[in-house]
Amino acid sequence: MKNILKIAAVGLLGFFMQSCNNGDSNDKRSRGAMASNVAERVYVAPGDHDEFYGFFSGGFSGQMSVYGLPSGRLLKVIPVFSQDAEKGYGYNEGTIPMLNTSYGFVPWGDLHHVDISQTNGELDGRWVFTHENNTPRVARIDLNTFETGEILEIPNSAGNHSFAITENTEYLIAGTRFAIPSPQRDMSIDEMKGNFKGPLTFVKVDQETGGMEIDFQVIMPGFNFDLAHPGRGKSHGWMFATTYNSEEASTLLEVNASQNDKDFIVALNWQKIAEYVANGGGTKMDAEYAHNKFDHETHTATTEMKKGIMTVDPKDVPGAVFFMPIPKSPHGCDVDPTGEYIVGSGKLAAELTVFSFDKITQAIENEDYDGDAYNIPILNYDNILAGIVREPGLGPLHTEFDGKGNAYTTFFISSEVVKWSLSDFQVIDRKPTYYSVGHLMIPGGNSQKPFGKYLVAMNKITKDRYLPTGPEMNHSAQLYDISGDKMELLLDFPTIGEPHYAAGIPADLVKQNSKKIYRLDENKHKYKVTNESETRVERNGNEVHVYMTMVRSHFAPDNIEGIKVGDKVFFHVTNLEQDFDVPHGFAMIGANTAELLVMPGATKTMVWEPKKVGVWPLYCTDFCSALHQEMQGYVRVSPANSNVELSWSLDGE
Amino acid sequence: MKNILKIAAVGLLGFFMQSCNNGDSNDKRSRGAMASNVAERVYVAPGDHDEFYGFFSGGFSGQMSVYGLPSGRLLKVIPVFSQDAEKGYGYNEGTIPMLNTSYGFVPWGDLHHVDISQTNGELDGRWVFTHENNTPRVARIDLNTFETGEILEIPNSAGNHSFAITENTEYLIAGTRFAIPSPQRDMSIDEMKGNFKGPLTFVKVDQETGGMEIDFQVIMPGFNFDLAHPGRGKSHGWMFATTYNSEEASTLLEVNASQNDKDFIVALNWQKIAEYVANGGGTKMDAEYAHNKFDHETHTATTEMKKGIMTVDPKDVPGAVFFMPIPKSPHGCDVDPTGEYIVGSGKLAAELTVFSFDKITQAIENEDYDGDAYNIPILNYDNILAGIVREPGLGPLHTEFDGKGNAYTTFFISSEVVKWSLSDFQVIDRKPTYYSVGHLMIPGGNSQKPFGKYLVAMNKITKDRYLPTGPEMNHSAQLYDISGDKMELLLDFPTIGEPHYAAGIPADLVKQNSKKIYRLDENKHKYKVTNESETRVERNGNEVHVYMTMVRSHFAPDNIEGIKVGDKVFFHVTNLEQDFDVPHGFAMIGANTAELLVMPGATKTMVWEPKKVGVWPLYCTDFCSALHQEMQGYVRVSPANSNVELSWSLDGE
């Protein structure tokens, strides 16, 4: 009977979802005469540029997508946690180390949230940071090259869903979503309660280079950490993170993790804990994790396997960690631009809860607690409330801000975006989304200085929004104009993978730093050659190293003999071009890896293990000139016992 | 001295390219008052659908992209020749066989041209066929599922650039771009001339299933086959393919393959050769090649390694194969909707050459030859000409047709699309492209019935067209309205990889056949389970098979114990949903493969080899309901010598 009731509750949610997904066409009815006006507002004419960059999480694609806004055009997919055959990322020798972990080479990841680096609480356009939810890692993307510069594994964690960057990019915070034994050990799943933990990892960021190092890990109770945001302005030094499954259920969580009326938001003073650790606090724990860095001068990634982390038990730093009760299985936990308001979205709750940082400070000062959970004080709910948004919608998930005193919250079940006021917590406007919106993004909406012109809703269900493409449809985003009192839907555009979050930034803050080429005279690749006279082929046992160049429109050398079946051939290929947008590609028939795509001034390495005797072609894969089609060569492969001497040439020389 | 002249000629091409790439802004000047009008014409309002599907080659991405036109929105990327971590294609057990070749598993391909199946010379919207240029293969994409259904390796070939589909989809024709020894053998590259061959492969297509089988291979001289088109209407039964490098140079082709004033277009009567083979003609040759098929009912791909092909020497079928001389290093070779005109684009020529099929027939009848090349008669150039398009532009590449008597040719060097008349071969209009256009596409433009409303130019150089994204910029496409006398540029949109060609089709010819779900009662996967009561875990030595289901929002089972380090765990996961657009994902921490993304009614299999003792989470990667976040489970991994018994449960049952 209990089960039937539980399942009925879940069924109700299903009903709401279904009713929201049956193609309400309000948008069509309201379109009419405004259509041309709307079209103009998203149209970026040929030769013109978009106003904003949007960096979108790729979710289960493992990559990050760069969109132009307002056009919704996909400018680039940046490979981060997954192999990318197109760019050779994770296939060529220089990038394979980027995907190493303590579990070995992992070719896929689940890229969840993205955030742009900040200085003094404002977007500075230097880096985008992101994280991986399956095999926990964090990553830095460099916005001068739009390439992944560093990936750091997070040990003693599982799932890595809760992610925040502090307002001077001092720390990345990465929270454990799936509580685990800490440290890992062989134990029964049934014994989860009280025995599993939810570590929160603090990664220190080098302010000059963006380099990442694990500073410490706070070993929290075994709840599921969901989402996190940093304090800002007055609340700088703190971070806030939602938890769900405070029931500590290990099975059928859709029912068993929905039992408590309230779960918790963690309020954590990271400055205090960082100080404690800097002064010798904390306990060393065994751990093994991969630290992968890509060097833009050697064009080569390296993996360092690191040992040991510093852990902190919250009870050892009094006054640093508190719980705030919040109904009910909360998802988003968003901090407004002033740092005063923390908006909690209980995804099964009927109301939106807004907390006041001033009141939180006061309650802590007054030790105004309502008991504790695993020795962590629970702040008195009523006394830290700033306000409640009444009847806002069903299934609130995330909130962003426009910098003009308004908040915008997504509602998954009632499938809408709701605008409400931070001054009186009253709803101002609501607009349907198609369908079942998850996250939303306002450029700078997660900083002290939002650019409140557009809002992008990232929807979880697509159905009839585009021409059908079989059982699988791309997820869909929607662009709204929020410059007026009422939101206005402008555009639907499909997305890559599943964007869980996005970060937008005015193009002017990024584009002037965008690198056009790699300078050949700065190329420090171990096997580079910077002119054709240095090209050569060297044998070392069954390893053959080809030092090759590419320039419009030939390879040097382009004829090679003396390769034998059983050899391992390393093609080290340098693109001699020094003009913007003149990449060359390199492919070799039957290679068990991807192509090389080599940007001007860079060197990349492909391994080829020839299996068959014969004369085999190589060619340029990226159309580079009117004579691109002629950019090819041949490699002669002789039997393993052959005496054919190693030779190489270009046009007989 | 000779070399200096050669290089000067090549340098001149470089100069043209450069001058064309310096941001001519004619388009901006001509925009003005028309902008809003243009915006409306490409704007597809939220909830509305695009008018055309565009299937774009992904080039070095190895995949096929589906765009909506006129909006330019990317609706889906269909994995074909490359692994795709997002969809698990080439990673999960059911799709790994799709990428098998005679060289082993090849995770990347260079997808060149795409073409939609035809019936009676008109697009029928059933399949898209395409081919791979590096490790030669052809593939079929099924337009009910938008998935790759079959990949067939082409043996005795290298490069596979020349591709055509006959007008009832009787044959796919795949031409060798990089001439090779036939059969392959250990020989000096210097001995290429006269000894290498350029096989043309004819793949028979099953009219009911789209199934592909190699019928025969015509062993042509060792020129580089570039592009091909079928005859249609009056020329049905023939095919035409350009060759370059009739010099048979093996090195520095940008110079050495540009020596002859004329290369050749092959005119080949495939009906005559097919008849010859059907009647017992041809010679068997040793060959080994992979034939990979994906079964939509078992959701599983299989590889069959095949042996031997039938080859045909052109001299054994008199009257079937001819050469047509064409200046100079031709690229495109395009047949107009009536089948009378064959347009040859000599990419280093100053003029466009148009041949007449009637005159070709006449010349063959009259044996009006101008010598032969390797015993293949060369038709008299002057007597097969239909006309010459004078001063059309620089660097012609490709031509398509609007069905109203006009042809549209791209010019790479002068960076423009030129419209000209098939009745008098006079230029009607020219519009700049940004920059350096390669291929172009008019929906149905390669059939008897083009839909001459839009033209898409696929450009090779991007530079300043979009916000910068570091040294690497996405390639760019441009949409032109060609419904009036003059072409009109409407839109720039970035593309995936490098589209070498595209095929457009009115949406109405495809969308009604688009499958929404896989029926669970038709699921024939070997390890499927269609309800939770059948879920179980079975051990067989160190292999463990998990028969698992997923439904909003839990896995069954979601707790598993008794797994040991050193096991090989097969998760066979069935999505029980039967609603459109409710996929679930499956990920397991530390797996050395990609996620599973499972469409409703389908089963997929992931292998996981646990390396560390502990309790490890699994979860759903694709947001599926308001309780998606709760869709998770745990696997207990014990030491290799553990006695923990195998057990599994959901909510304790």
Side-chain angles (χ1 to χ4, degrees):
Chain A
M1 183 64 182
K2 183 181 135 213
N3 267 340
I4 290 172
L5 282 176
K6 287 192 289 187
I7 286 162
V10 173
L12 191 64
L13 283 170
F15 167 77
F16 278 125
M17 277 186 53
Q18 206 54 42
S19 64
C20 295
N21 293 335
N22 282 333
D24 179 337
S25 58
N26 278 345
D27 63 334
K28 291 192 187 180
R29 284 196 297 275
S30 65
R31 207 183 308 140
M34 295 297 287
S36 76
N37 176 268
V38 172
E40 278 175 67
R41 283 149 64 195
V42 298
Y43 180 66
V44 176
D48 288 351
H49 285 182
D50 278 289
E51 187 179 351
F52 292 92
Y53 285 98
F55 299 100
F56 282 57
S57 139
F60 53 72
S61 85
Q63 320 295 43
M64 197 178 76
S65 317
V66 186
Y67 287 85
L69 299 174
S71 73
R73 294 179 299 181
L74 176 63
L75 302 178
K76 187 174 185 173
V77 173
I78 300 174
V80 185
F81 295 117
S82 294
Q83 285 185 300
D84 181 345
E86 174 180 340
K87 304 187 200 317
Y89 180 86
Y91 291 97
N92 59 54
E93 296 299 294
T95 55
I96 285 171
M98 294 301 279
L99 302 182
N100 285 337
T101 74
S102 66
Y103 305 87
F105 181 82
V106 172
W108 172 84
D110 187 4
L111 189 153
H112 262 251
H113 306 116
V114 296
D115 221 343
I116 298 165
S117 55
Q118 298 186 12
T119 301
N120 297 323
E122 297 183 11
L123 303 182
D124 62 21
R126 298 199 289 169
W127 308 299
V128 182
F129 292 94
T130 184
H131 65 107
E132 207 272 281
N133 187 59
N134 186 45
T135 304
R137 287 168 283 172
V138 291
R140 186 191 74 246
I141 288 92
D142 298 326
L143 288 186
N144 55 347
T145 60
F146 282 64
E147 290 183 355
T148 302
E150 190 173 355
I151 294 181
L152 175 65
E153 187 177 352
I154 306 294
N156 196 38
S157 181
N160 181 222
H161 195 268
S162 188
F163 181 73
I165 301 177
T166 59
E167 76 169 19
N168 285 299
T169 319
E170 298 99 330
Y171 281 97
L172 313 181
I173 300 151
T176 294
R177 172 168 158 203
F178 308 119
I180 45 162
S182 167
Q184 273 286 10
R185 58 192 177 275
D186 183 25
M187 62 180 286
S188 172
I189 302 167
D190 289 342
E191 293 166 21
M192 174 177 178
K193 206 162 191 161
N195 291 315
F196 283 22
K197 301 292 176 191
L200 284 177
T201 307
F202 288 75
V203 175
K204 201 164 194 171
V205 179
D206 185 292
Q207 302 294 296
E208 292 304 310
T209 66
M212 306 183 291
E213 297 287 350
I214 294 176
D215 196 17
F216 56 88
Q217 204 170 58
V218 181
I219 308 297
M220 297 289 292
F223 310 152
N224 287 17
F225 283 88
D226 198 352
L227 288 154
H229 273 96
R232 57 176 58 97
K234 62 163 71 171
S235 52
H236 180 59
W238 289 76
M239 59 84 66
F240 305 92
T242 46
T243 68
Y244 64 110
N245 193 22
S246 57
E247 298 86 350
E248 296 176 78
S250 65
T251 183
L252 197 62
L253 266 65
E254 64 174 325
V255 175
N256 297 324
S258 307
Q259 303 302 306
N260 290 351
D261 280 343
K262 291 196 170 65
D263 295 277
F264 298 114
I265 289 177
V266 176
L268 185 149
N269 186 328
W270 56 263
Q271 276 183 337
K272 196 179 268 245
I273 299 177
E275 202 179 330
Y276 168 76
V277 171
N279 291 328
T283 308
K284 279 232 168 180
M285 181 196 266
D286 281 347
E288 191 192 26
Y289 59 103
H291 194 174
N292 310 323
K293 296 179 185 174
F294 186 81
D295 183 319
H296 292 295
E297 292 195 335
T298 63
H299 303 282
T300 302
T302 51
T303 296
E304 184 185 356
M305 289 304 300
K306 294 199 163 168
K307 304 275 184 196
I309 48 167
M310 185 62 67
T311 63
V312 176
D313 186 325
K315 76 170 165 13
D316 295 336
V317 195
V321 186
F322 302 89
F323 282 133
M324 297 150 56
I326 162 115
K328 168 164 192 173
S329 297
H331 195 56
C333 153
D334 301 278
V335 181
D336 90 307
T338 69
E340 165 63 6
Y341 298 115
I342 298 103
V343 182
S345 300
K347 64 181 188 262
L348 305 181
E351 300 172 330
L352 262 185
T353 312
V354 187
F355 298 102
S356 154
F357 183 72
D358 287 343
K359 291 187 177 179
I360 291 167
T361 311
Q362 196 64 51
I364 291 170
E365 207 166 292
N366 299 344
E367 300 192 358
D368 185 4
Y369 303 150
D370 188 8
D372 70 273
Y374 293 110
N375 297 314
I376 295 171
I378 300 170
L379 299 177
N380 184 309
Y381 176 74
D382 294 323
N383 293 346
I384 58 174
L385 269 188
I388 298 274
V389 184
R390 309 277 175 198
E391 298 185 0
L394 289 170
L397 293 183
H398 298 281
T399 301
E400 289 239 315
F401 307 91
D402 63 6
K404 304 169 201 163
N406 303 303
Y408 301 75
T409 302
T410 55
F411 292 84
F412 177 85
I413 297 172
S414 54
S415 193
E416 58 189 333
V417 182
V418 174
K419 176 181 179 179
W420 51 276
S421 168
L422 285 164
S423 56
D424 60 9
F425 310 111
Q426 297 298 306
V427 170
I428 298 167
D429 186 27
R430 56 178 71 242
K431 282 287 181 303
T433 60
Y434 306 95
Y435 304 102
S436 298
V437 61
H439 224 301
L440 79 171
M441 180 272 279
I442 294 169
N446 177 32
S447 76
Q448 287 196 36
K449 188 184 169 188
F451 302 86
K453 182 170 179 182
Y454 298 114
L455 178 156
V456 180
M458 286 157 262
N459 304 323
K460 299 300 185 185
I461 294 172
T462 304
K463 293 195 186 271
D464 60 358
R465 300 304 286 178
Y466 307 107
L467 287 175
T469 55
E472 188 183 355
M473 297 288 290
N474 272 12
H475 285 226
S476 182
Q478 295 188 290
L479 182 78
Y480 296 78
D481 184 329
I482 57 165
S483 60
D485 288 342
K486 299 288 181 184
M487 296 177 279
E488 190 179 356
L489 175 60
L490 301 180
L491 181 70
D492 279 27
F493 62 97
T495 52
I496 299 288
E498 179 182 344
H500 291 278
Y501 190 28
I505 185 169
D508 290 341
L509 294 176
V510 173
K511 67 181 181 187
Q512 76 278 8
N513 299 325
S514 190
K515 220 177 172 70
K516 288 193 153 40
I517 61 164
Y518 295 103
R519 282 181 51 178
L520 207 51
D521 60 4
E522 291 176 353
N523 183 327
K524 293 180 179 155
H525 192 286
K526 189 178 171 191
Y527 295 98
K528 74 166 190 294
V529 276
T530 55
N531 65 65
E532 292 187 1
S533 67
E534 297 166 6
T535 60
R536 63 196 183 276
V537 183
E538 294 175 352
R539 175 180 287 282
N540 180 10
N542 76 331
E543 280 195 3
V544 178
H545 290 268
V546 181
Y547 297 73
M548 184 181 264
T549 58
M550 54 214 321
V551 74
R552 278 167 289 186
S553 283
H554 63 269
F555 297 96
D558 69 359
N559 281 194
I560 300 172
E561 303 206 352
I563 304 296
K564 292 183 274 193
V565 170
D567 282 347
K568 187 170 183 178
V569 183
F570 294 80
F571 289 98
H572 308 289
V573 189
T574 302
N575 182 347
L576 298 181
E577 308 283 352
Q578 292 284 269
D579 288 343
F580 178 39
D581 201 22
V582 190
H584 293 287
F586 175 83
M588 185 76 229
I589 188 171
N592 301 112
T593 184
E595 65 160 355
L596 299 177
L597 191 59
V598 192
M599 295 301 130
T603 304
K604 290 194 174 174
T605 299
M606 174 201 283
V607 168
W608 180 58
E609 298 182 80
K611 296 177 186 67
K612 302 182 190 179
V613 165
V615 179
W616 303 103
L618 56 90
Y619 71 101
C620 173
T621 58
D622 193 333
F623 210 104
C624 53
S625 80
L627 290 163
H628 155 76
Q629 203 72 348
E630 282 75 5
M631 190 165 171
Q632 65 167 83
Y634 284 109
V635 178
R636 175 183 178 182
V637 177
S638 302
N641 60 359
S642 159
N643 293 319
V644 174
E645 269 186 43
L646 205 58
S647 65
W648 60 93
S649 62
L650 169 66
D651 204 19
E653 281 164 26
Chain B
M1 183 63 183
K2 183 182 135 213
N3 267 341
I4 292 173
L5 282 176
K6 287 193 287 189
I7 286 162
V10 174
L12 190 63
L13 284 171
F15 167 77
F16 278 125
M17 278 186 53
Q18 208 55 38
S19 64
C20 296
N21 294 334
N22 282 335
D24 179 336
S25 59
N26 278 343
D27 62 334
K28 292 192 190 181
R29 285 196 297 275
S30 65
R31 208 183 307 139
M34 294 297 287
S36 73
N37 176 267
V38 171
E40 280 176 64
R41 282 150 63 194
V42 299
Y43 180 66
V44 176
D48 289 351
H49 285 180
D50 278 289
E51 186 180 351
F52 293 92
Y53 285 98
F55 299 99
F56 282 57
S57 139
F60 52 73
S61 85
Q63 320 297 42
M64 197 178 76
S65 317
V66 186
Y67 286 86
L69 298 175
S71 74
R73 296 179 298 183
L74 176 63
L75 303 179
K76 185 174 188 173
V77 174
I78 300 173
V80 185
F81 294 116
S82 293
Q83 286 184 300
D84 180 345
E86 174 180 338
K87 304 187 200 314
Y89 180 85
Y91 291 97
N92 60 53
E93 297 299 292
T95 55
I96 285 171
M98 293 301 279
L99 301 182
N100 286 338
T101 74
S102 66
Y103 305 87
F105 180 81
V106 172
W108 171 83
D110 187 4
L111 187 154
H112 262 251
H113 306 113
V114 296
D115 221 342
I116 298 166
S117 56
Q118 299 186 12
T119 301
N120 298 324
E122 297 183 12
L123 304 181
D124 63 21
R126 299 199 290 168
W127 308 299
V128 182
F129 291 94
T130 185
H131 65 110
E132 207 274 278
N133 187 59
N134 186 45
T135 304
R137 286 169 283 173
V138 291
R140 186 192 72 245
I141 289 93
D142 299 325
L143 288 186
N144 53 348
T145 60
F146 282 64
E147 291 184 352
T148 302
E150 190 174 355
I151 294 181
L152 175 66
E153 187 177 353
I154 306 294
N156 196 39
S157 181
N160 179 225
H161 196 269
S162 187
F163 181 72
I165 300 178
T166 60
E167 76 168 19
N168 285 299
T169 319
E170 298 97 333
Y171 281 98
L172 312 180
I173 300 151
T176 294
R177 172 168 158 204
F178 308 118
I180 45 161
S182 168
Q184 273 285 12
R185 57 192 178 276
D186 183 25
M187 62 180 286
S188 171
I189 302 167
D190 289 342
E191 294 166 22
M192 174 178 178
K193 205 162 191 162
N195 290 314
F196 282 22
K197 301 292 176 190
L200 284 178
T201 306
F202 288 75
V203 175
K204 203 164 192 170
V205 179
D206 184 292
Q207 301 296 296
E208 292 303 311
T209 65
M212 305 182 292
E213 296 287 350
I214 295 176
D215 196 17
F216 56 87
Q217 206 171 56
V218 182
I219 308 297
M220 296 289 291
F223 310 153
N224 287 18
F225 282 87
D226 199 351
L227 288 155
H229 274 95
R232 59 176 57 98
K234 63 162 72 171
S235 54
H236 180 60
W238 288 77
M239 60 84 66
F240 305 92
T242 47
T243 69
Y244 65 109
N245 194 21
S246 57
E247 298 86 349
E248 295 175 79
S250 65
T251 183
L252 198 63
L253 265 63
E254 64 173 324
V255 175
N256 296 325
S258 307
Q259 302 303 304
N260 290 349
D261 282 342
K262 291 196 169 67
D263 295 277
F264 298 114
I265 290 177
V266 176
L268 184 149
N269 185 327
W270 55 264
Q271 277 185 335
K272 196 180 269 248
I273 298 177
E275 199 179 331
Y276 168 77
V277 171
N279 290 328
T283 308
K284 281 232 168 180
M285 182 197 266
D286 281 347
E288 191 193 26
Y289 59 103
H291 193 175
N292 310 325
K293 296 179 186 176
F294 186 81
D295 183 319
H296 292 294
E297 293 196 333
T298 63
H299 303 282
T300 302
T302 51
T303 295
E304 183 186 355
M305 291 303 300
K306 294 200 163 168
K307 305 275 184 195
I309 48 168
M310 186 60 68
T311 63
V312 175
D313 186 326
K315 77 170 166 11
D316 294 336
V317 194
V321 186
F322 302 89
F323 281 133
M324 296 151 55
I326 162 115
K328 164 165 195 169
S329 297
H331 196 54
C333 152
D334 301 280
V335 180
D336 89 306
T338 69
E340 164 63 6
Y341 297 115
I342 299 102
V343 182
S345 300
K347 65 183 186 263
L348 306 180
E351 300 172 329
L352 262 185
T353 311
V354 187
F355 297 102
S356 154
F357 183 71
D358 287 343
K359 289 186 178 180
I360 291 167
T361 311
Q362 195 64 50
I364 291 170
E365 205 167 293
N366 299 343
E367 299 192 357
D368 184 4
Y369 305 148
D370 189 8
D372 71 276
Y374 293 110
N375 298 316
I376 294 169
I378 301 170
L379 300 177
N380 183 310
Y381 176 74
D382 293 321
N383 293 346
I384 58 174
L385 270 187
I388 299 275
V389 185
R390 308 278 174 196
E391 297 185 0
L394 289 170
L397 293 184
H398 298 281
T399 300
E400 290 237 314
F401 307 91
D402 63 6
K404 304 169 201 162
N406 302 303
Y408 301 75
T409 302
T410 57
F411 292 84
F412 177 84
I413 298 173
S414 54
S415 194
E416 58 190 333
V417 182
V418 175
K419 175 181 179 180
W420 52 275
S421 167
L422 285 165
S423 55
D424 61 7
F425 309 112
Q426 297 298 306
V427 169
I428 297 167
D429 187 27
R430 58 178 69 240
K431 283 288 181 300
T433 59
Y434 305 94
Y435 304 101
S436 297
V437 61
H439 223 300
L440 79 171
M441 179 272 279
I442 294 170
N446 178 31
S447 75
Q448 285 195 36
K449 188 184 169 187
F451 301 87
K453 182 170 180 182
Y454 297 115
L455 178 155
V456 180
M458 286 156 262
N459 304 322
K460 299 300 185 183
I461 295 172
T462 304
K463 293 195 188 273
D464 60 357
R465 298 305 285 180
Y466 307 106
L467 287 175
T469 55
E472 187 183 354
M473 297 287 290
N474 272 12
H475 285 227
S476 182
Q478 295 188 290
L479 181 78
Y480 295 78
D481 183 330
I482 57 166
S483 60
D485 288 342
K486 298 288 182 183
M487 296 176 278
E488 192 180 356
L489 175 60
L490 301 180
L491 181 71
D492 279 28
F493 62 98
T495 52
I496 299 288
E498 179 183 343
H500 291 278
Y501 191 26
I505 184 169
D508 290 339
L509 293 177
V510 172
K511 68 181 180 187
Q512 75 279 7
N513 299 325
S514 190
K515 219 177 173 71
K516 287 191 154 39
I517 61 163
Y518 295 102
R519 283 181 52 178
L520 206 52
D521 59 5
E522 290 174 354
N523 182 328
K524 295 183 178 153
H525 192 286
K526 189 178 168 191
Y527 295 96
K528 74 167 189 295
V529 276
T530 54
N531 65 66
E532 292 186 1
S533 66
E534 298 165 6
T535 59
R536 62 195 186 275
V537 183
E538 294 175 351
R539 175 180 287 282
N540 180 10
N542 76 331
E543 280 195 3
V544 178
H545 291 268
V546 181
Y547 296 73
M548 183 180 264
T549 58
M550 54 213 321
V551 75
R552 278 168 289 185
S553 281
H554 63 268
F555 297 95
D558 69 358
N559 279 195
I560 299 172
E561 303 206 352
I563 304 296
K564 293 183 271 191
V565 169
D567 281 348
K568 186 170 183 178
V569 184
F570 294 80
F571 290 98
H572 309 288
V573 190
T574 302
N575 182 346
L576 297 181
E577 308 282 353
Q578 292 284 269
D579 288 342
F580 179 39
D581 202 22
V582 190
H584 293 287
F586 174 84
M588 185 75 230
I589 188 170
N592 301 113
T593 184
E595 65 160 355
L596 299 178
L597 192 59
V598 192
M599 295 301 129
T603 304
K604 289 193 175 177
T605 300
M606 176 202 281
V607 168
W608 180 56
E609 297 181 81
K611 297 177 186 63
K612 302 181 188 180
V613 166
V615 179
W616 303 104
L618 55 89
Y619 71 102
C620 174
T621 58
D622 193 333
F623 209 104
C624 53
S625 80
L627 291 163
H628 156 77
Q629 202 73 347
E630 281 75 4
M631 189 164 171
Q632 65 168 83
Y634 284 109
V635 179
R636 174 183 180 182
V637 178
S638 301
N641 59 359
S642 160
N643 293 321
V644 174
E645 268 185 45
L646 205 60
S647 65
W648 59 95
S649 62
L650 168 68
D651 204 19
E653 283 162 24

